[in-house]
Amino acid sequence: MRSRWLFVLVVGLLLAGCTGGGGNGSGNGRITLRFQSLAWQEESVTANKELVKEWNATHPDVKVEYVQGSWDSVHDQLLTSFEGGEAPDIIHDASDDLADFAYGGYLADLRDLLPARLKSDIPQRSWETATFGDGIYGVPFLQEPRVLIANATWLKKAGVRIPTPEHPWTWPEFRTITRQLSGDGKYGVAWPLKEPVSATLNLSLSAGGELFHRSAGGKVTVRFDAADQVVPRTIHDQADVDHSASPTTLGSGGSDTLPGFFGGKYAMVPLGFSYRQQIVQQAPKGFDWQVLPAPAGADGLTQGVSPQTLSIAEDSPHKKEAAEFIDFLLQPKNMVRLALGDWMLPTGTQALKDPALHTTKDDWSTGAALAADLVSAPAQSVRGYPEWKDKVATPAFQEYYSGAITLTGLRQRLEKDGNLVLARYQR
């Protein structure tokens, strides 16, 4: 029995040495970091892999292994990997997906890990998107405003005023113009609102809407005030009163609207800034399009965003080295490469100054002019938001936009039903 016990012990120690600490080390002392990236566009994947290759070429003692993830399944996949003790060291995600992981203790607090250069280069308004409680649990590095992609020929022929970041349309003016552009089976705008909540809430910040209100004790409640109603009422009236918004696209995703846009059915489509890549690739030859800023309200062009983030797993045994890789990845010149690859805007102030992001080609300059107005999305740090969104807000907004319920009905659903959901997370 003693011999068998010794044999099992020796084999166990040998196996432990072979595994190298779950893949984070090796017998020769070299550290291996697993970097899970959610890049999916060809240019973006190429940029990420090139940067990993450059790091590995200059850091022989700290190897980074590129792991391909997917936006479609990242939340559940990460939750499973956290609970199974197999999370990647460096995690690519979006700030609106971090709250449960941060509060659950799965992510490392980055405040003492990041260099001063990186901390000072990214504005405080961006850091707020990844701040939960007293800690920072992700580095926000890419962001995109929601803009209006317009048929330039159509707008020019109609003779409407073309908005600029310096002189945008107001929400009432936007409604009036979409009416002018409509008729004969064509629509001034196509709202792709398959996921209506984030689009509505983020744009509502321009009108002064907050929706989520935090008390002195930290408790969050939903209050659907007049400022919160400006944007949803505009969308509703365009679709159900003016008939200047296509009713068939309300349940569609952004890409679903592009064939109709190219075919001359819609004059404008509100989309994320990165959709320009699809438009460049898919637009018919000679199709003239342009990027316009979203309408402005009482708070100007203010808009909520949920930037892409880089986090470090709390269980990673090499947090210092992981932070050094993130610092390398987000050097200004590298952040520009990542932004160009994803057709998005960098958060870093130095990267935003790069001439490549201020060209008139593909309207990069219009997007860059909006960067200073991008702030944390309203629901960023609200615990229980995913359930509130899925079970209450999404069906309520969908029914309101389709005309099934009134604005009063929408308010009652968001407040009464919504606060019941949030209360469970705040006991």
Side-chain angles (χ1 to χ4, degrees):
M1 287 295 292
R2 176 178 170 81
S3 299
R4 280 187 62 188
W5 181 83
L6 286 171
F7 175 75
V8 171
L9 176 63
V10 170
V11 170
L13 290 171
L14 287 172
L15 288 173
C18 292
T19 58
N24 284 311
S26 61
N28 59 13
R30 184 171 71 170
I31 292 169
T32 298
L33 300 174
R34 294 173 64 233
F35 165 42
Q36 178 170 297
S37 170
L38 301 181
W40 63 275
Q41 300 187 88
E42 185 177 349
E43 295 169 74
S44 181
V45 172
T46 298
N48 277 272
K49 288 186 174 179
E50 284 178 349
L51 287 168
V52 168
K53 187 176 180 180
E54 291 170 19
W55 166 274
N56 287 335
T58 54
H59 296 78
D61 295 332
V62 182
K63 177 188 175 183
V64 172
E65 175 186 321
Y66 182 93
V67 179
Q68 186 63 61
S70 169
W71 285 108
D72 294 336
S73 58
V74 65
H75 185 87
D76 291 341
Q77 177 261 320
L78 282 175
L79 186 60
T80 300
S81 67
F82 284 135
E83 293 180 343
E86 298 179 351
D89 300 274
I90 301 138
I91 298 163
H92 180 193
D93 203 350
S95 58
D96 61 354
D97 191 42
L98 299 184
D100 289 343
F101 298 143
Y103 288 121
Y106 295 120
L107 300 178
D109 184 351
L110 303 178
R111 286 177 297 175
D112 295 330
L113 291 169
L114 300 176
R117 178 209 69 81
L118 188 57
K119 290 179 181 177
S120 61
D121 187 49
I122 296 175
Q124 180 58 31
R125 64 177 180 274
S126 294
W127 284 117
E128 288 173 359
T129 66
T131 299
F132 304 94
D134 294 327
I136 295 175
Y137 295 92
V139 182
F141 70 106
L142 292 181
Q143 59 188 346
E144 64 173 329
R146 191 171 293 268
V147 295
L148 299 173
I149 307 292
N151 182 322
T153 303
W154 190 338
L155 267 61
K156 184 177 180 180
K157 185 177 179 180
V160 300
R161 182 179 78 81
I162 305 300
T164 64
E166 296 75 27
H167 301 286
W169 288 329
T170 63
W171 284 102
E173 188 178 8
F174 174 54
R175 181 183 171 189
T176 298
I177 285 171
T178 56
R179 261 200 316 261
Q180 294 174 6
L181 297 171
S182 302
D184 298 324
K186 297 182 178 181
Y187 299 93
V189 65
W191 284 96
L193 292 176
K194 183 178 181 180
E195 302 288 343
V197 183
S198 62
T200 304
L201 269 56
N202 288 341
L203 288 172
S204 290
L205 287 179
S206 68
E210 294 180 42
L211 196 66
F212 297 102
H213 298 266
R214 193 178 295 273
S215 68
K219 185 177 180 181
V220 176
T221 55
V222 178
R223 201 167 66 238
F224 191 58
D225 295 330
D228 300 294
Q229 299 170 15
V230 172
V231 172
R233 182 184 288 156
T234 300
I235 298 172
H236 170 275
D237 289 352
Q238 285 174 322
D240 297 300
V241 178
D242 306 335
H243 305 293
S244 60
S246 169
T248 60
T249 64
L250 293 174
S252 302
S255 299
D256 300 329
T257 62
L258 294 183
F261 178 59
F262 297 144
K265 192 171 183 180
Y266 324 121
M268 293 177 284
V269 185
L271 293 169
F273 193 53
S274 63
Y275 272 88
R276 292 170 304 129
Q277 185 191 39
Q278 289 187 47
I279 292 169
V280 167
Q281 293 175 340
Q282 300 173 19
K285 187 176 180 179
F287 183 82
D288 190 13
W289 59 276
Q290 66 186 120
V291 175
L292 308 176
D299 283 5
L301 288 168
T302 301
Q303 189 177 138
V305 291
S306 297
Q308 293 186 23
T309 55
L310 293 172
S311 302
I312 298 174
E314 175 61 29
D315 285 346
S316 172
H318 303 294
K319 296 183 182 67
K320 176 178 174 290
E321 291 80 5
E324 289 171 355
F325 173 70
I326 290 176
D327 181 45
F328 164 80
L329 205 63
L330 302 184
Q331 293 288 325
K333 66 180 187 301
N334 294 341
M335 198 184 282
V336 172
R337 290 165 65 180
L338 294 171
L340 292 172
D342 252 330
W343 289 65
M344 296 174 73
L345 300 175
T347 58
T349 54
Q350 292 303 311
L352 268 170
K353 296 176 182 177
D354 194 286
L357 302 175
H358 293 269
T359 62
T360 55
K361 186 178 186 300
D362 301 325
D363 283 347
W364 275 102
S365 56
T366 300
L370 303 174
D373 295 297
L374 303 181
V375 300
S376 180
Q380 206 69 66
S381 60
V382 177
R383 298 206 69 179
Y385 170 73
E387 182 180 346
W388 175 85
K389 181 186 72 171
D390 293 343
K391 294 184 178 180
V392 178
T394 294
F397 275 118
Q398 287 174 338
E399 289 176 37
Y400 174 63
Y401 290 146
S402 70
I405 60 174
T406 64
L407 188 66
T408 299
L410 174 64
R411 179 175 61 79
Q412 290 174 343
R413 295 268 289 277
L414 295 178
E415 293 183 351
K416 184 179 178 181
D417 297 348
N419 283 322
L420 287 174
V421 170
L422 297 187
R424 293 206 312 272
Y425 290 82
Q426 302 180 89
R427 289 172 181 162

